[in-house]
Amino acid sequence: MDFDEELSHQSEEVGSDELLSDDNLRLPEEANPLVRLHAVRAWLKRRETETHIDMGNAALTLQELQLSAGTAPLRRRAYQEQMERLQSAQNAFQRTQEYLATYEEAEEMLEDCVNHTTVGERLLVEYYLQIDELIQTSLQENNQAQTPRIEALLDVQSRIERVGATYEED
């Protein structure tokens, strides 16, 4: 086997982080608490990476709209439509920033929880309760309205439920 063939085979292999970060991951009942913890960590990292990409795309869209806004004078209706698109792009960028900040905060909370709780079955329960407390506080602060922060926290909570739960094997 030559170097090119070996390299092409390596790029096709899926790493453990990629497998553990899969949204549809189901761990067996006897899965080690460290594996469950790593599944949450890998998922958070993947969500951060995806959100960085989304934020970059939103920034590019925003930049393109800003550049095109100053090129030629427009009629009032066309100008208004362009400003609406610009506002929509700014809102999308701000939402992705909020998602990213929330995923980063959740990752910091997880690491803090790991530092203060013995790694075991209790760790993800403690983390879940901290996330739940943040959700309840955020809901109260926003009069029960959904925000990108709350949506991201609910995603994290759902992930903890998925990998923390034990399933009977079929």
Side-chain angles (χ1 to χ4, degrees), residues 44-61:
L44 281 169
K45 281 290 185 199
R46 193 193 89 212
R47 292 300 300 143
E48 286 179 33
T49 301
E50 289 171 353
T51 306
H52 271 288
I53 292 168
D54 291 345
M55 202 164 83
N57 289 334
L60 285 173
T61 301

Side-chain angles (χ1 to χ4, degrees), residues 24-39:
N24 298 317
L25 175 70
R26 294 188 103 158
L27 295 173
E29 187 174 335
E30 65 276 358
N32 186 307
L34 284 172
V35 172
R36 295 181 191 283
L37 170 63
H38 192 68

Side-chain angles (χ1 to χ4, degrees), residues 156-167:
V156 173
Q157 194 176 47
S158 177
R159 179 59 177 187
I160 299 165
E161 289 171 355
R162 177 170 276 288
V163 299
T166 55
Y167 300 97

Side-chain angles (χ1 to χ4, degrees), residues 47-151:
R47 292 300 300 143
E48 286 179 33
T49 301
E50 289 171 353
T51 306
H52 271 288
I53 292 168
D54 291 345
M55 202 164 83
N57 289 334
L60 285 173
T61 301
L62 185 60
Q63 182 181 24
E64 289 170 0
L65 287 170
Q66 287 172 334
L67 289 174
S68 69
T71 56
L74 301 171
R75 293 183 179 198
R76 185 181 348 169
R77 179 122 173 106
Y79 177 78
Q80 187 177 18
E81 288 174 358
Q82 188 174 33
M83 289 300 111
E84 287 172 2
R85 285 192 303 272
L86 186 60
Q87 184 63 44
S88 177
Q90 287 173 334
N91 290 342
F93 182 76
Q94 288 172 341
R95 278 193 310 276
T96 55
Q97 280 183 315
E98 196 170 339
Y99 276 114
L100 180 60
T102 304
Y103 288 128
E104 289 172 344
E105 177 186 6
E107 184 180 27
E108 288 174 19
M109 286 177 59
L110 178 60
E111 295 311 315
D112 191 47
C113 198
V114 167
N115 291 333
H116 293 95
T117 307
T118 304
V119 175
E121 298 295 327
R122 180 180 165 145
L123 174 71
L124 288 181
V125 172
E126 292 290 327
Y127 182 56
Y128 181 91
L129 293 173
Q130 288 178 5
I131 296 293
D132 192 57
E133 185 178 323
L134 270 180
I135 291 169
Q136 297 309 316
T137 302
S138 295
L139 282 170
Q140 288 173 354
E141 290 172 356
N142 294 293
N143 298 320
Q144 304 299 323
Q146 289 285 339
T147 64
R149 175 179 169 74
I150 293 170
E151 290 172 9

